[in-house]
Amino acid sequence: MSEFYTMKIAGLERNLEKFPVSDTLEIGAFIIFGDVELTVEGSKELLKKVPEFDVILTPEAKSIPIAYEMSRQSGKPYVVARKGKKVYMKNPLEVTVNSITTQHEQRLILGQAEVDMMKGKKVLIVDDVISTGESLKAIRELVKKTGATEAASCAFLAEGDAAERTDIIFLEKLPLFFK
């Protein structure tokens, strides 16, 4: 039988199913896909907390709905750092990352069109959950490589020790569950 962690995000109650990531650790799985109500309300609340920015950057894939909705509400464009090189990507810019939820090395890639859109701009980094900070570190490296500056880094949730960080903006703390 599944166990759940109940929390409020942007005033909305959600039950996050717990999943093991090791023999001693479980996480509450935050899946934004399909949750339009939370995507809209959470994006609205997060936009109230972030500084001025020109472009939104998000890693593929779970945070794309958040970036889209924040873009729609703010009128600012968004860019997705892809996990794989696409044939239409000219002069790809690439960094690697190891994330707690994927359990293997990933790549984040921008094409020349995205680099041009970001160069010289203030970029708001958007993710769904910031946990170990490895994905954030990689996406920040991409921002630097494009010649842009980071306006801020934000997420709906800060998991575990990430909630103690002072370099991120988030809506709620998500605990880690140790066995």
Side-chain angles (χ1 to χ4, degrees), residues 69-105:
E69 184 59 24
M70 290 179 75
S71 173
R72 189 188 69 77
Q73 290 182 25
S74 69
K76 306 288 176 80
Y78 78 99
V79 171
V80 177
R82 304 296 303 266
K83 289 182 180 175
K85 184 179 179 291
K86 306 299 177 192
V87 294
Y88 54 79
M89 290 180 155
K90 294 180 183 174
N91 305 317
L93 197 58
E94 181 178 330
V95 296
T96 58
V97 60
N98 287 300
S99 170
I100 188 173
T101 54
T102 54
Q103 300 177 334
H104 65 277
E105 187 176 88

Side-chain angles (χ1 to χ4, degrees), residues 6-16 30 32 35-43 45 156-157 172:
T6 302
M7 66 182 303
K8 278 198 173 185
I9 308 164
L12 302 171
E13 189 171 288
R14 293 297 184 264
N15 295 313
L16 308 184
F30 178 65
I32 195 71
D35 195 336
V36 176
E37 180 185 37
L38 183 55
T39 301
V40 171
E41 292 306 312
S43 295
E45 292 305 310
F156 275 20
L157 303 177
E172 299 296 335

Side-chain angles (χ1 to χ4, degrees), residues 96-141:
T96 58
V97 60
N98 287 300
S99 170
I100 188 173
T101 54
T102 54
Q103 300 177 334
H104 65 277
E105 187 176 88
Q106 289 184 311
R107 300 180 308 159
L108 292 175
I109 304 168
L110 294 173
Q112 190 65 52
E114 292 81 14
V115 171
D116 292 344
M117 184 188 296
M118 293 170 54
K119 187 174 184 163
K121 302 280 176 51
K122 291 184 284 184
V123 175
L124 178 65
I125 298 169
V126 173
D127 211 340
D128 59 334
V129 179
I130 297 174
S131 186
T132 63
E134 290 303 311
S135 296
L136 178 58
K137 185 173 150 185
I139 207 98
R140 282 176 164 163
E141 186 179 333

Side-chain angles (χ1 to χ4, degrees), residues 9-61:
I9 308 164
L12 302 171
E13 189 171 288
R14 293 297 184 264
N15 295 313
L16 308 184
E17 189 170 358
K18 293 182 183 179
F19 287 95
V21 292
S22 74
D23 291 339
T24 59
L25 177 66
E26 291 181 334
I27 60 169
F30 178 65
I31 312 296
I32 195 71
F33 291 134
D35 195 336
V36 176
E37 180 185 37
L38 183 55
T39 301
V40 171
E41 292 306 312
S43 295
K44 185 186 309 178
E45 292 305 310
L46 206 48
L47 280 168
K48 291 176 185 176
K49 294 180 147 207
V50 299
E52 282 293 313
F53 63 93
D54 301 309
V55 178
I56 294 167
L57 175 63
T58 195
E60 194 174 37

